[in-house]
Amino acid sequence: METIKGLKRTDYCSNLRIDDCGKEVTLFGWAQRQRDLGNLIFIDLRDRTGIVQLSFSDKTNRDTFEKAGSVRSEYVLAVKGKVVERESKNPELPTGDIEIEVTELRIISKAQTPPFEISKADEVGDETTLKYRYLALRNEKLTKNILMRNKIAKIAREYFYDNDFIEIETPMMIKSTPEGARDYVVPSRIHNGKFYALPQSPQIYKQLLMIAGFDRYIQLARCFRDEDLRADRQPEFTQIDLEMSFVDTDDIMEMAEGFIKKLMKETINIDIPTPLPKMTYADAMNKYGSDKPDTRFDMLINDISSWAVKTDFGVFKNAVEEGGTVRCIVAKNAASVYSRKKIDKLTEYAKGIGAKGLAYIRWADENPNCSFAKFLKDGELEELLSSLGAEKGDCVFIISGKTALTLSVLGALRLAVAKELDIIPQGKWNYLWITQMPFFEYDEESGEWVAMHHPFTMPMEECIPYLDTDKAKVRAKAFDLVLNGTELSSGSMRITDCELQNKMFELLGMSQEEIDAKFGFLVEAYKYASPPHGGMGIGLDRLAMLICKADSLRDVTAFPKVQNASELMSGAPTYIDDIQLEELGIKIAKAESEKDE
């Protein structure tokens, strides 16, 4: 193979334009495609910026021409040549007006035939493209996504540096402390039998930095959570993590809004009006059935409990009389789409997420078809439809039961129906703050009140008297940033009083011994005076996913994990040998089925 000795890149492939005609250039890249037309050869040369066409003709040195004829897809090439205007222009390429008339060609590295065509990688199954991820990353779409992610990180650093934030790295191997999800743990060789945890977030350390006097902290922090995966979740992720002293919630939100405004303008040239709208948690749940509502379309949830309790339909009456609720959504112009078969399918979906059933009204013909009509008295159906503003052509979907579950199910149905009807507008960027979050949430399984956020979140001052008497009334000085139905960030003011912090741990069921063992160093730190402080972590990966209009975090992550948290390319996780296990003082308990193998 040849070398690049004596050659220095002058330009990237996709940066050349018609104004560069006559310019002598040196380019490096991969051959995306070679087209041999006999007396003409064209090669599409690709680097991270895009593609430019190389041309070889009867003017080209014979050795160079023959070498071009031997080039195959994915060969690494170095070329020198002159930018010239193309005879047959390609308006779909940024470089479609020009080509490189090659005077020197070097084949730096040959490639065997790849397992899929790079330009069509997004048409190939995940199992193959993730196994050969280094090849899939050569695809223009994935390359652009990774470059966009880099741009977001760059803008974040620039913005927060300009606002006097200090970037400080916090440890990657820390003490295991309860923060909501399961920890990934790292065994210690030196301290046999003891373990570090990989951080779910830098939460405690950034609070300690505030106590230390670094009043504005920023970090592009790697975080790790051992939880079930989905399209917008990976076991390891990056958040734009910040903390500020001598502030309140409005100051933190205003700082974040400035970043969002700059980011959207500099990445996709969208002007986001600020201040961003705010919605209380209670309103979000009651209107949208979600604490991360997609506000790009209507179809709000209606409370019809007062109407339902007057009917003779036992399912509705019992739900209300037992302290629950009856609520619905009105899907405009849905009757032509939702046949009885599709409604049955929607019912199964509702049951799959916790509902006992789905009542409906489908108004396709002159008279509406109501699934519970036989339980209604004359005029009751008309009364309901009138109050809802439902008309011929609409569908009404109704859920009853415990309030929290009813709202959650309707929130999911609202999204499913909107997707089916294709009414979610594209090109809208509805950022939204969710405020006045509950401090506690009731766990039906355990019968206990648990923290909705991490246990360092400050309750609203007016709610502190309810800590011992009525946990349902306690709201937190916490807020979430939502974009088009995706949660991008959680933030809050922090508890800075050591006695209150200790009390919060106790209210969450920890004994004093457990508090001292897990959080003693933090409670101790607060005894030496702390400034009022708060912060948030903005999901860099999710931001990139939404800005790139990608379907999954995999599309903006260089080397992602699949649903079972494994990486197909390298085969991680994998076994380690007995010598390593012995050094760590660890024995692996094999399942019965493995013992005889």
Side-chain angles (χ1 to χ4, degrees):
M1 293 295 99
E2 297 172 278
T3 70
I4 60 170
K5 187 175 181 180
L7 296 180
K8 294 289 184 183
R9 173 188 269 146
T10 61
D11 299 89
Y12 281 97
C13 292
S14 193
N15 294 346
L16 298 168
R17 297 293 184 271
I18 194 72
D19 291 343
D20 294 306
C21 282
K23 181 179 179 181
E24 296 287 340
V25 296
T26 300
L27 307 175
F28 302 136
W30 282 258
Q32 176 137 310
R33 186 169 61 136
Q34 187 251 44
R35 303 184 303 286
D36 191 336
L37 306 180
N39 61 338
L40 284 174
I41 296 175
F42 297 105
I43 296 174
D44 290 338
L45 187 70
R46 181 191 69 240
D47 63 18
R48 75 184 195 196
T49 64
I51 289 172
V52 69
Q53 179 171 281
L54 311 179
S55 68
F56 305 81
S57 66
D58 53 10
K59 298 178 187 176
T60 309
N61 175 280
R62 283 297 89 188
D63 288 341
T64 302
F65 189 89
E66 289 175 10
K67 191 185 293 184
S70 72
V71 170
R72 298 293 176 264
S73 293
E74 301 311 311
Y75 280 23
V76 177
L77 307 178
V79 300
K80 289 184 72 173
K82 184 168 67 173
V83 181
V84 298
E85 186 172 0
R86 278 174 70 160
E87 288 186 14
S88 178
K89 293 182 170 59
N90 183 353
E92 295 183 6
L93 276 181
T95 58
D97 290 339
I98 58 100
E99 63 187 14
I100 310 301
E101 199 173 74
V102 177
T103 56
E104 182 179 351
L105 169 67
R106 299 186 194 179
I107 298 176
I108 306 303
S109 180
K110 292 183 179 180
Q112 65 183 33
T113 303
F116 52 85
E117 190 175 337
I118 302 300
S119 62
K120 297 180 179 178
D122 51 354
E123 300 174 14
V124 182
D126 282 349
E127 190 170 339
T128 300
T129 55
L130 290 173
K131 181 178 179 181
Y132 298 96
R133 186 64 170 181
Y134 45 86
L135 295 179
L137 285 169
R138 295 180 186 176
N139 175 270
E140 182 182 17
K141 182 179 177 181
L142 274 180
T143 299
K144 284 183 175 179
N145 288 353
I146 298 300
L147 292 176
M148 176 60 78
R149 181 192 170 102
N150 173 72
K151 189 170 186 178
I152 293 169
K154 181 174 181 287
I155 292 168
R157 283 197 163 98
E158 289 172 348
Y159 173 79
F160 288 106
Y161 287 171
D162 288 347
N163 281 280
D164 297 324
F165 282 75
I166 304 163
E167 184 163 11
I168 306 176
E169 291 184 345
T170 52
M172 296 296 279
M173 296 194 300
I174 66 172
K175 181 178 184 176
S176 179
T177 56
E179 282 197 39
R182 289 180 292 271
D183 284 332
Y184 280 103
V185 295
V186 180
S188 170
R189 177 184 60 82
I190 297 172
H191 304 279
N192 245 225
K194 294 184 178 181
F195 295 82
Y196 300 101
L198 299 180
Q200 294 186 34
S201 76
Q203 186 59 50
I204 294 177
Y205 285 96
K206 66 180 181 178
Q207 290 184 233
L208 291 169
L209 286 169
M210 296 302 103
I211 295 173
F214 297 98
D215 60 306
R216 290 193 170 193
Y217 143 95
I218 181 71
Q219 182 182 190
L220 269 60
R222 292 295 283 169
C223 305
F224 307 84
R225 294 178 188 175
D226 185 3
E227 53 191 355
D228 296 333
L229 305 192
R230 58 192 187 207
D232 64 347
R233 183 183 284 168
Q234 282 278 305
E236 49 186 319
F237 58 94
T238 302
Q239 66 183 31
I240 303 165
D241 200 54
L242 61 128
E243 197 82 3
M244 303 169 67
S245 293
F246 307 108
V247 293
D248 209 334
T249 53
D250 288 343
D251 301 298
I252 302 168
M253 289 190 276
E254 184 180 341
M255 184 62 67
E257 288 177 359
F259 165 62
I260 293 298
K261 191 172 185 68
K262 176 183 173 71
L263 176 75
M264 296 299 288
K265 184 65 178 176
E266 294 188 13
T267 53
I268 53 176
N269 197 31
I270 297 290
D271 287 306
I272 298 294
T274 53
L276 301 177
K278 294 183 177 72
M279 183 184 297
T280 65
Y281 174 89
D283 281 347
M285 293 304 300
N286 283 319
K287 292 179 181 179
Y288 297 92
S290 172
D291 59 358
K292 46 182 184 293
D294 191 336
T295 59
R296 290 175 294 174
F297 64 101
D298 292 325
M299 207 192 304
L300 303 185
I301 295 172
N302 297 275
D303 188 344
I304 57 172
S305 300
S306 58
W307 170 86
V309 77
K310 295 184 294 184
T311 71
D312 292 331
F313 189 26
V315 173
F316 288 174
K317 286 177 68 73
N318 293 341
V320 178
E321 289 170 357
E322 291 171 6
T325 189
V326 183
R327 310 210 185 193
C328 71
I329 52 174
V330 179
K332 305 298 291 183
N333 304 310
S336 60
V337 175
Y338 275 95
S339 62
R340 177 58 190 271
K341 187 175 181 181
K342 278 199 172 179
I343 291 176
D344 287 344
K345 193 172 180 180
L346 192 65
T347 301
E348 290 305 309
Y349 172 66
K351 289 179 178 178
I353 54 176
K356 292 181 179 178
L358 175 67
Y360 67 87
I361 304 165
R362 179 174 179 264
W363 197 347
D365 303 314
E366 199 59 38
N367 296 312
N369 176 22
C370 176
S371 66
F372 51 95
K374 64 182 180 181
F375 300 103
L376 300 180
K377 298 184 283 290
D378 286 347
E380 286 184 333
L381 180 57
E382 291 74 16
E383 178 190 350
L384 175 62
L385 293 171
S386 175
S387 69
L388 294 174
E391 303 168 313
K392 184 179 178 181
D394 298 345
C395 287
V396 181
F397 299 114
I398 307 170
I399 298 290
S400 60
K402 291 182 178 179
T403 302
L405 180 60
T406 296
L407 290 173
S408 175
V409 170
L410 276 173
L413 288 180
R414 175 179 177 268
L415 290 174
V417 171
K419 288 174 184 175
E420 182 70 42
L421 298 178
D422 195 23
I423 61 171
I424 304 176
Q426 301 304 306
K428 290 185 75 174
W429 301 88
N430 284 21
Y431 284 94
L432 174 71
W433 289 110
I434 303 298
T435 62
Q436 298 187 34
M437 314 287 285
F439 193 96
F440 299 98
E441 60 183 339
Y442 188 71
D443 185 341
E444 295 280 354
E445 288 187 15
S446 67
E448 300 286 338
W449 288 92
V450 296
M452 182 172 275
H453 304 273
H454 56 68
F456 320 113
T457 303
M458 182 71 182
M460 290 185 168
E461 284 81 358
E462 63 269 28
C463 297
I464 290 177
Y466 299 119
L467 287 172
D468 293 310
T469 59
D470 191 350
K471 290 184 174 66
K473 287 186 177 180
V474 182
R475 287 169 290 126
K477 297 188 79 170
F479 45 89
D480 284 356
L481 180 61
V482 174
L483 171 59
N484 294 349
T486 296
E487 180 191 316
L488 291 179
S489 170
S490 284
S492 71
M493 293 300 295
R494 322 303 189 189
I495 296 171
T496 55
D497 178 89
C498 60
E499 291 183 8
L500 179 59
Q501 183 65 80
N502 208 73
K503 181 179 180 65
M504 297 311 297
F505 289 141
E506 290 174 353
L507 289 171
L508 294 171
M510 294 187 195
S511 66
Q512 190 60 51
E513 185 180 5
E514 190 178 3
I515 295 168
D516 292 342
K518 293 180 176 177
F519 298 106
F521 66 100
L522 179 64
V523 176
E524 176 75 11
Y526 281 130
K527 294 177 182 178
Y528 296 95
S530 168
H533 62 272
M536 60 191 296
I538 304 171
L540 191 155
D541 315 77
R542 290 184 181 179
L543 257 182
M545 181 181 76
L546 293 168
I547 288 174
C548 293
K549 298 182 180 178
D551 296 326
S552 166
L553 288 182
R554 292 183 191 178
D555 297 332
V556 294
T557 305
F559 300 102
K561 305 290 191 294
V562 294
Q563 194 166 5
N564 66 0
S566 65
E567 189 208 297
L568 299 185
M569 185 190 68
S570 68
T574 187
Y575 295 105
I576 59 174
D577 60 42
D578 291 338
I579 294 174
Q580 288 174 287
L581 289 172
E582 189 175 340
E583 286 176 339
L584 295 168
I586 293 176
K587 288 185 178 180
I588 303 297
K590 290 187 177 181
E592 289 295 326
S593 59
E594 296 177 349
K595 288 180 179 178
D596 297 328
E597 293 179 5

